[in-house]
Structure formats: C-alpha cells, structure tokens
Amino acid sequence: GENVEQHPSTLSVQEGDSAVIKCTYSDSASNYFPWYKQELGKRPQLIIDIRSNVGEKKDQRIAVTLNKTAKHFSLHITETQPEDSAVYFCAASRRGGGADGLTFGKGTHLIIQP
Amino acid sequence: DVKVTQSSRYLVKRTGEKVFLECVQDMDHENMFWYRQDPGLGLRLIYFSYDVKMKEKGDIPEGYSVSREKKERFSLILESASTNQTSMYLCASSTGGGPYGYTFGSGTRLTVV
C-alpha cells in the first residue's frame, strides 16, 4: 500500500522567515496530494492541494510543489506569522482513487518564534 | 458550509464494552472515512465507505467494524474495546468522482479503562 514519509517532525522558524515541509510517497498511482493544518484541539483543515498533472500551485503565502519522478512534494510557507503555528499533515491518495481515501504523513509541528 | 458532526467529543468506556461512534454529514457526500489519530503516528485509516451499505478496510481495521445504512451516517463500532484503542477518532467525508479533499469532524476522544 501507499506509504507517506514527512520531514521534519518539528520545525521552528523566526516570524517573517519561510518554512518548508517535505513529503515523499511510494505509490506511483497516487494522483492527489493535499495538505492539512491542524491547530491545537481543532480538526484538520485543508489548506492547499495539488494533482499529479500540475507541478506547482500557489495560494497567497502558501505554495506546493510536486515532483512525480522523484515521488516528492513540498509545502512552502513564506512570511510566516504567529497564526501559522500548527501541525501540518501531507497526504497522498491511495491507489490513485478518491473513494479509496488518503494516506497521511505523521505530521510536522511548525513553531513560529516571535 | 459542509458539516461533519461526530456525536460525542469525549467518551470513557470500560475494557470489553461494545462502543459505537457516530458520524453524520449534511452535504450528500458519497465517501466517508474513519481515522484514528495518535501522537507521532499521524492519521491512520481504519475503514471507509463509498456508498450506502458498502465498506472497505483501511490500513488498521483489526478490532473495528463499520455500518453505513444511510448515505449521511457512518458508524464505527469497537466490538470489544481494549486499552490500545484509546485514541482520537476522526470522521471525514468527501464528494465522489474525486479524489477531493476531506472535511473532517471535530473528533471523538475515546478513553478505554
């Protein structure tokens, strides 16, 4: 089955700096790669996603890049702010299908230092 | 705004009890999922369903079963609760024809004593 590795497990950056979280996946059939943000005590919320026919997608301060050949995708957050502090999860579609669900990475705790 | 509602925020059950966790979504989504979330392990898929009365095993189905009698409702059943099933349980739904992102419920923190 699909396996998703996420690094680092904890990332501390100064406010205003950029943060990068990296994930790799194992199943070449995976075609959908969302990112979720989970604040303390709250449900995970979808923040951005990318499909396998696209190499990069941007939404204001966040962007995601995908390298299908290397089976690698990354989340980039620029000009970090205190409200960016949270746990971030990457995910990849299982067996390439939406009905089959997502496999998640183990999460990255992003800490924004004032 | 899609809503996924989990019936209980906190539950405490005894070892050996049969436990029902309920999830209801109000946006006519075809797909529904149950995950458990544990520190350092992320979210792991227990069971999912893509239609009424249909169910598929996820990555960690042992000790669990599910029921989907109506499109909007997906129940997770712990046949005989054990202490290693103490966890946060998250329900999610997504529209069909995807894959698309999930909408998650608020979670049920289950403690088995």
Side-chain angles (χ1 to χ4, degrees):
Chain A
E2 177 67 279
N3 183 48
V4 177
E5 298 285 340
Q6 181 171 350
H7 300 280
S9 56
T10 304
L11 177 61
S12 182
V13 301
Q14 290 293 125
E15 182 178 348
D17 287 351
S18 295
V20 180
I21 302 170
K22 299 182 179 182
C23 290
T24 59
Y25 61 99
S26 60
D27 188 352
S28 56
S30 293
N31 59 3
Y32 176 66
F33 307 92
W35 287 86
Y36 289 83
K37 175 184 180 182
Q38 187 176 32
E39 297 175 8
L40 190 62
K42 296 190 176 180
R43 72 189 78 188
Q45 300 262 11
L46 177 68
I47 56 171
I48 195 167
D49 56 15
I50 192 167
R51 298 185 186 277
S52 57
N53 58 348
V54 175
E56 185 174 355
K57 185 176 178 181
K58 191 173 181 181
D59 182 5
Q60 299 183 335
R61 294 187 299 107
I62 61 172
V64 58
T65 58
L66 172 65
N67 182 328
K68 283 196 303 180
T69 303
K71 295 182 193 167
H72 171 275
F73 58 114
S74 300
L75 178 71
H76 305 252
I77 305 174
T78 59
E79 300 172 10
T80 53
Q81 300 169 4
E83 55 264 36
D84 295 329
S85 292
V87 178
Y88 291 79
F89 293 97
C90 63
S93 55
R94 297 167 83 247
R95 302 197 286 260
D100 290 332
L102 301 171
T103 297
F104 286 81
K106 293 182 178 177
T108 295
H109 186 195
L110 176 62
I111 301 165
I112 308 301
Q113 302 279 5
Chain B
D1 191 25
V2 176
K3 285 193 172 64
V4 179
T5 304
Q6 294 184 231
S7 55
S8 302
R9 188 77 175 100
Y10 298 95
L11 272 180
V12 180
K13 297 292 182 180
R14 295 195 179 277
T15 301
E17 275 194 80
K18 190 169 186 176
V19 181
F20 293 84
L21 303 183
E22 305 288 345
C23 176
V24 177
Q25 51 94 4
D26 66 359
M27 287 300 291
D28 203 35
H29 280 177
E30 286 80 5
N31 306 323
M32 297 188 75
F33 309 88
W34 276 106
Y35 285 82
R36 63 177 283 176
Q37 182 175 19
D38 299 289
L41 296 179
L43 288 79
R44 292 179 291 165
L45 182 62
I46 305 171
Y47 265 96
F48 60 98
S49 169
Y50 53 87
D51 202 352
V52 175
K53 297 195 184 294
M54 302 302 291
K55 58 185 179 183
E56 294 277 351
K57 292 180 180 179
D59 298 319
I60 52 163
E62 295 78 19
Y64 303 93
S65 63
V66 290
S67 172
R68 193 166 182 200
E69 296 296 319
K70 294 185 178 181
K71 189 174 184 179
E72 67 271 20
R73 185 180 296 270
F74 192 37
S75 302
L76 180 69
I77 304 157
L78 286 67
E79 297 290 343
S80 177
S82 64
T83 55
N84 63 12
Q85 293 178 309
T86 291
S87 186
M88 171 66 83
Y89 289 88
L90 288 165
C91 175
S93 71
S94 71
T95 191
Y100 297 106
Y102 293 166
T103 297
F104 281 94
S106 296
T108 296
R109 182 164 296 282
L110 173 67
T111 302
V112 182
V113 298

